[in-house]
Amino acid sequence: MIGLFVAGRFAPNTDTNSVFAQPDITLWLASVTGLFSIFALTFWRKQANYILGLVAYILLGATVGTLVALTGNAHSPFVALWLIAGVFAGLFGRWVLLGLTVATSIYVVLWFFTATPTPEWQDIVLNILVGEAPLLASYIIWHQRTVQDANSTRAFSALEQELSQVANKSEIVINSIADGVVAIDQQGAIQLINPSAQDMLGWPKQDTIGLDYKSVVQLTNQKGEPIPDNFSPIRQVMVSNRPVTNDNLTLVTKSGKKLLVSLVVSPVIGRDGQASGAIAVFRDITREKQEERQKGEFISTASHEMRTPVAAIEGYLGLAMNPQTATIDDKARLYLQKAHESTQHLGRLFQDLLMVSRAEDSRLVVRPTAIDATVFVHEIVESLQPKARDKGLSLIFKPGSPDTDGNRRVQPVFYMYADPDNMREVIGNLVDNAIKYTKQGTVTVDIVGDDRNITVSVLDSGIGIPPEDVPHLFQKFYRVDNSDTREIGGTGLGLYICRRLTEANNGHISVSSIYGQGSTFSVALPRLSNDQAEDVISAAPVTQPSSAMAPAFAQPATAPAVNTSPTPPVTPQQ
Ligand code: ADP
């Protein structure tokens, strides 16, 4: 309209019916509408909303309506503008459409009464049509859309509300959690880090998002050596799709401070079933570990110190009971005998406590060497023969013993790779338990081997173990508590120590049992070939603090090769 006006200035012979001839008022209205629209589009684009659009549209309607009204109504050369503008009224909803329809109708009625001469009926019909037709068309076009839009808008806003509620809740939980949480995508970039993780690691959020996790979550082992990426729990989770838990890692903060952490990394499984990222949750356990170490040190020192006076008491009691060194009556002997037994029990308890505290602090001494299993185990069994005999049990060492036809079995030489002191403790304990928990019958010790493992099994015809107790047997201080065991003394530490020692020697311990019929405990240890054994024996003995330095050929033992008992073997729990 402004363009036409400007063009009209240069047009010759502008008559009143020409498109170039516009009333001034419409020019002003057109200018206001144009300026408002440009302003809204330029400066309020971001907030552009329904109200701005409506104001612009009302201004446009007023401009076009006025123009048409002042230039001949239905005969105006600008009728097409009204028709076009009117069609869009429905975009602003039914109330705007209704308002416009009412305004147009009022205008037509007013025009009818004020026009001179009074309009012909065809003229009236034409004006009504021109005025209302675009509004009717607008209703038909937009009504359908409005209904659909209203439904989808309602559904959308409900969903939006729900999602934002869920997102808010998750954010509140993640942000208020005391554990550090870091989310890592498939490429290893950090996507989320909660405030606890930021505090622990000393990395602010803005510096970490999008950064490779290795720069932020720096892990080292207990010796302070950095964990290679291939062995990093986060990488392992991405590759294996399985959660990984580790309580023995150190986290190095941005300032180089070292924190002992308990780390749990879980995979985020994508739609294709593959890990699309990982969530690492870690907790600072430096204080707990320190307290644990202090407790362990206290138990270790206390047991060590108390063993000396107990040994002295035991010695003096032995002297008191010896007829060559002391003269006592039978009653006193009986009391002293009981005191002697209790002292021995106390001594064993201290010994066990010492061993447990060593195992927990990773201070177990493991000096593996090649052991001829048959000779070694036979010696242990022989040392326990008197105990079995006292109880009226037959203790059978199966390798090399005559079979049912009286033929001696030829036993191959089995070399196992383990610490002899540790194994004496383990096998001795198992045979001792078998004697202790068997009222009558036999205890049989056997050795079998395959290419990789040697398995020593101790089978008894004793009281057996209830199935519900079996999974807990190798836990610290666990004792089966029933009428069969109540009279039999013990600490509940023996099997725990057996497990720790076996594992420290790269071995595996298991049990199978039938309650009331007997049990079989098996220890599987890495086997050495005869050549390997000779090499180990001929080499100078090496003092090794841990079995981690075992030669490459000493593979960790898997589950025992042979199980003589009908129930499946049970792998110890922590
Ligand atoms: P302790 O014998 O000192 O109680 P252990 O750790 O050696 O502790 O054994 C734990 C428990 O396992 C025992 O209390 C006993 O109930 C059960 N147990 C161990 N060996 C046998 C066995 N050969 N037969 C039956 N029960 C056994």
Side-chain angles (χ1 to χ4, degrees):
M1 285 165 69
I2 295 166
L4 286 174
F5 175 79
V6 174
R9 295 275 126 185
F10 304 100
N13 307 325
T14 308
D15 67 40
T16 45
N17 220 13
S18 155
V19 288
F20 297 123
Q22 292 174 44
D24 286 352
I25 174 83
T26 55
L27 192 68
W28 286 115
L29 277 172
S31 308
V32 171
T33 307
L35 281 175
F36 179 83
S37 303
I38 290 168
F39 205 75
L41 203 65
T42 317
F43 298 105
W44 298 324
R45 202 188 182 112
K46 285 229 173 80
Q47 309 93 308
N49 54 24
Y50 177 84
I51 299 292
L52 283 177
L54 182 62
V55 172
Y57 184 73
I58 288 172
L59 284 172
L60 180 76
T63 309
V64 175
T66 312
L67 181 66
V68 171
L70 295 180
T71 52
N73 295 324
H75 302 287
S76 161
F78 300 104
V79 153
L81 279 182
W82 171 251
L83 294 179
I84 294 169
V87 166
F88 288 92
L91 258 184
F92 297 93
R94 69 182 65 157
W95 292 112
V96 173
L97 193 57
L98 190 70
L100 208 57
T101 310
V102 170
T104 313
S105 308
I106 291 173
Y107 172 75
V108 173
V109 170
L110 284 176
W111 163 76
F112 173 73
F113 286 113
T114 52
T116 42
T118 312
E120 300 280 319
W121 69 268
Q122 298 97 321
D123 218 15
I124 298 170
V125 171
L126 185 70
N127 268 291
I128 293 175
L129 268 180
V130 168
E132 311 288 4
L135 302 177
L136 187 68
S138 177
Y139 177 77
I140 294 166
I141 294 169
W142 300 110
H143 175 69
Q144 203 53 28
R145 294 271 313 246
T146 320
V147 172
Q148 282 172 2
D149 283 0
N151 286 343
S152 59
T153 309
R154 218 171 300 129
F156 178 75
S157 63
L159 181 68
E160 194 186 24
Q161 212 177 344
E162 205 168 305
L163 284 177
S164 85
Q165 271 177 6
V166 171
N168 279 347
K169 275 186 202 158
S170 323
E171 202 169 323
I172 291 169
V173 172
I174 290 170
N175 285 348
S176 47
I177 240 169
D179 290 357
V181 179
V182 176
I184 297 143
D185 69 14
Q186 211 171 17
Q187 278 70 44
I190 293 179
Q191 293 301 333
L192 180 149
I193 177 163
N194 77 340
S196 303
Q198 293 165 41
D199 290 348
M200 267 191 240
L201 296 166
W203 281 85
K205 185 177 177 178
Q206 64 273 18
D207 290 359
T208 53
I209 300 297
L211 209 66
D212 192 288
Y213 77 89
K214 287 187 283 293
S215 330
V216 179
V217 186
Q218 295 176 39
L219 295 167
T220 66
N221 62 16
Q222 280 181 324
K223 290 180 196 153
E225 297 156 348
I227 303 215
D229 189 36
N230 281 355
F231 294 98
S232 139
I234 296 172
R235 181 62 53 211
Q236 280 176 356
V237 166
M238 301 263 209
V239 174
S240 69
N241 269 5
R242 293 219 194 99
V244 169
T245 308
N246 197 324
D247 284 350
N248 293 315
L249 291 174
T250 304
L251 199 60
V252 185
T253 67
K254 194 178 181 190
S255 59
K257 207 171 119 194
K258 288 179 177 165
L259 305 174
L260 293 172
V261 287
S262 157
L263 177 73
V264 181
V265 189
S266 315
V268 179
I269 307 290
R271 287 215 187 105
D272 55 357
Q274 294 301 310
S276 61
I279 308 283
V281 180
F282 44 88
R283 192 158 44 89
D284 183 357
I285 52 165
T286 314
R287 247 188 54 203
E288 279 109 308
K289 285 267 176 188
Q290 216 168 8
E291 281 170 8
E292 223 172 76
R293 213 186 42 240
Q294 282 169 353
K295 215 162 64 186
E297 272 169 15
F298 172 75
I299 293 176
S300 167
T301 318
S303 343
H304 190 77
E305 292 302 319
M306 285 191 273
R307 257 186 345 158
T308 321
V310 168
I313 296 170
E314 199 185 329
Y316 282 116
L317 286 174
L319 285 175
M321 287 190 302
N322 188 342
Q324 284 162 6
T325 47
T327 316
I328 50 170
D329 64 15
D330 286 350
K331 215 169 179 186
R333 181 178 305 280
L334 193 71
Y335 295 150
L336 288 182
Q337 238 161 19
K338 291 216 179 299
H340 192 242
E341 276 164 23
S342 295
T343 320
Q344 276 180 328
H345 180 75
L346 198 61
R348 264 200 313 277
L349 185 63
F350 287 144
Q351 174 68 28
D352 285 355
L353 280 175
L354 200 61
M355 192 65 98
V356 167
S357 78
R358 275 194 198 140
E360 312 240 292
D361 296 355
S362 316
R363 283 188 294 119
L364 284 178
V365 181
V366 183
R367 296 189 185 95
T369 184
I371 304 175
D372 180 340
T374 316
V375 175
F376 181 77
V377 177
H378 191 213
E379 267 173 29
I380 299 172
V381 172
E382 282 311 301
S383 70
L384 286 160
Q385 282 294 1
K387 199 165 186 177
R389 224 173 294 128
D390 286 352
K391 250 192 122 177
L393 302 173
S394 54
L395 175 58
I396 300 167
F397 181 64
K398 214 167 167 189
S401 61
D403 62 15
T404 40
D405 299 331
N407 303 318
R408 285 188 91 79
R409 294 195 308 166
V410 177
Q411 182 71 14
V413 179
F414 287 135
Y415 281 108
M416 54 189 189
Y417 189 69
D419 179 303
D421 289 340
N422 293 169
M423 285 311 112
R424 200 166 291 119
E425 172 103 21
V426 172
I427 296 163
N429 206 341
L430 294 182
V431 179
D432 192 60
N433 270 354
I435 296 169
K436 195 158 86 174
Y437 296 105
T438 303
K439 287 176 187 148
Q440 58 189 32
T442 50
V443 173
T444 310
V445 181
D446 199 2
I447 304 173
V448 289
D450 59 19
D451 288 346
R452 295 186 62 191
N453 302 324
I454 306 284
T455 304
V456 180
S457 58
V458 181
L459 181 146
D460 64 57
S461 58
I463 58 174
I465 300 153
E468 64 273 19
D469 289 306
V470 171
H472 309 288
L473 280 187
F474 297 93
Q475 288 168 10
K476 220 182 331 176
F477 294 112
Y478 193 86
R479 302 204 69 220
V480 177
D481 184 19
N482 57 27
S483 53
D484 295 324
T485 57
R486 220 153 285 153
E487 297 300 307
I488 307 170
T491 60
L493 288 171
L495 290 180
Y496 173 74
I497 292 170
C498 287
R499 170 166 77 83
R500 295 301 296 249
L501 288 175
T502 309
E503 286 171 357
N505 282 273
N506 282 326
H508 180 91
I509 189 166
S510 62
V511 59
S512 56
S513 179
I514 301 178
Y515 186 44
Q517 290 186 26
S519 319
T520 303
F521 284 84
S522 305
V523 177
L525 289 157
R527 179 180 181 173
L528 295 183
S529 70
N530 290 3
D531 290 344
Q532 287 169 340
E534 272 169 31
D535 288 348
V536 172
I537 293 165
S538 58
V542 185
T543 304
Q544 288 172 300
S546 108
S547 58
M549 289 165 74
F553 49 73
Q555 305 269 4
T558 49
V562 174
N563 275 291
T564 44
S565 182
T567 50
V570 172
T571 300
Q573 292 182 346
Q574 283 293 326

